[in-house]
């Protein structure tokens, strides 16, 4: 089933007529069943759950329009506003069940033992103006909160940038230190290699000197041998 305009208007009229069933909160479902049965008299087939969902949706939409001060955007605003105004309801502070207490108060008068409800402004225009003011304050508050949030985000961004810069500086110093250590190791390696090569050269020079000395001794011995031989060959 679809909620047409006629079906919705009929629903709201039946809803207002059956508000008395909200007298007992534990039996609140009776109102939805009663409205569902009454709708059948108008050839409108809707279950109790469908009635409840539709009323909740209309109430939510009405509250949104009142809060933003734009009733023209809600097709059934006048009908909903008439119900709230007629029963002195403020959609922010009272639930629809309070209609019963207000009805009793007006029916029995203020002289009996019934405790009267809190007096609130029932003029819808005044309510709308109040909602507009509250909405404007809410917008200003949201802007302030947004500005504070952006400033906080900017400070966090700057803080993050500073931390990143410090980290980069730290990494640069560490890399520079590692580079210096690497160069120092290479320098030590070159010094060791030079030392080894120098030792090799010294050893080689010593070996050459030793070979020369040996050869020189051999030559001297040979010369001495030849000299002695010549002396032996000369007759006396």
């Amino acid at each position: 089933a679809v909620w047409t305009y006629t079906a919705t208007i009929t629903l709201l009229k039946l809803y207002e007529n059956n508000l008395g069933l909200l007298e007992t909160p534990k039996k609140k479902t009776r109102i939805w069943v009663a409205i569902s049965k009454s709708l059948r008299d108008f050839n409108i087939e809707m279950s109790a759950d469908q009635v409840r969902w539709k009323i909740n949706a209309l109430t939510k939409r009405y509250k949104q329009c009142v809060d933003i001060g734009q009733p023209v955007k809600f097709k059934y605003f006048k009908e909903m506003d008439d119900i709230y105004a007629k029963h002195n309801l403020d959609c922010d502070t009272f639930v629809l069940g309070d209609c019963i207490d207000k009805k009793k108060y007006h029916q029995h008068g203020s002289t009996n033992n019934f405790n009267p409800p809190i007096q609130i402004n029932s003029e819808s225009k005044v309510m709308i103006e109040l909602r507009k003011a509250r909405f404007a304050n809410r917008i200003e508050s949201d802007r302030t909160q947004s500005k504070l949030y952006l400033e906080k985000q900017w400070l966090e961004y700057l803080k993050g940038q500073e931390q990143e810069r410090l980290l980069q500086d730290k990494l640069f110093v560490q890399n520079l230190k590692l580079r210096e250590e690497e160069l120092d190791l290479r320098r030590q390696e070159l010094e060791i290699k030079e030392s080894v090569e120098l030792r090799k050269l010294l050893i080689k020079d010593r070996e050459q000197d030793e070979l020369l000395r040996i050869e020189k001794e051999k030559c001297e011995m040979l010369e001495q041998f030849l000299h002695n031989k010549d002396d032996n060959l000369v007759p006396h």
Side-chain angles (χ1 to χ4, degrees), residues 17-204:
N17 293 336
N18 287 275
L19 283 176
L21 296 177
L22 292 176
E23 183 176 359
T24 305
K26 293 183 179 180
K27 298 181 180 180
K28 192 174 181 179
T29 55
R30 293 188 306 173
I31 187 173
W32 315 126
V33 176
I35 294 175
S36 176
K37 291 181 179 180
S38 298
L39 285 173
R40 295 173 187 170
D41 297 336
F42 298 89
N43 296 322
I44 301 173
E45 292 292 331
M46 294 291 178
S47 66
D49 286 336
Q50 288 175 313
V51 170
R52 176 170 57 85
W53 295 335
K54 185 62 175 178
I55 289 296
N56 289 340
L58 291 171
T59 303
K60 181 179 180 180
R61 180 62 176 154
Y62 172 76
K63 290 180 179 180
Q64 290 175 346
C65 290
V66 171
D67 286 337
I68 64 177
Q70 295 181 348
V72 294
K73 292 187 176 182
F74 182 32
K75 184 187 298 185
Y76 306 101
F77 181 87
K78 183 179 182 303
E79 288 75 14
M80 293 291 295
D81 191 61
D82 287 342
I83 295 175
Y84 276 90
K86 182 178 179 181
H87 298 281
N88 295 328
L89 293 176
D90 184 328
C91 62
D92 282 342
T93 57
F94 286 86
V95 295
L96 292 179
D98 292 334
C99 292
I100 308 307
D101 295 335
K102 294 178 182 296
K103 277 188 173 182
K104 285 185 176 181
Y105 174 68
H106 291 296
Q107 291 174 358
H108 293 82
S110 60
T111 58
N112 55 17
N113 295 328
F114 183 79
N115 293 324
I118 300 174
Q119 183 66 29
I120 60 175
N121 192 346
S122 62
E123 298 181 5
S124 59
K125 291 184 178 180
V126 176
M127 288 172 58
I128 292 175
E129 292 300 323
L130 290 175
R131 296 299 183 277
K132 287 182 178 180
R134 288 173 56 188
F135 183 65
N137 292 335
R138 186 184 306 169
I139 292 177
E140 184 64 26
S141 177
D142 291 343
R143 287 178 179 174
T144 302
Q145 292 295 328
S146 298
K147 185 177 180 180
L148 292 175
Y149 176 76
L150 290 175
E151 290 180 353
K152 182 179 179 181
Q153 291 293 316
W154 177 247
L155 289 176
E156 290 180 354
Y157 170 77
L158 293 178
K159 184 178 179 181
Q161 290 293 312
E162 180 65 16
Q163 291 178 348
E164 184 177 355
R165 186 187 65 80
L166 293 175
L167 179 60
Q168 290 179 352
D169 291 344
K170 183 178 180 180
L171 291 175
F172 177 78
V173 173
Q174 290 178 349
N175 290 333
L176 183 61
K177 185 177 180 180
L178 290 174
R179 183 63 177 172
E180 291 176 350
E181 291 177 353
E182 182 181 358
L183 292 174
D184 187 59
L185 289 174
R186 288 186 178 182
R187 184 168 55 253
Q188 292 179 6
E189 182 181 0
L190 289 174
E191 290 176 354
I192 292 174
K193 287 183 177 181
E194 289 178 355
S195 177
V196 171
E197 292 297 326
L198 181 60
R199 288 184 179 181
K200 287 182 179 180
L201 289 174
L202 291 174
I203 292 173
K204 188 174 182 179

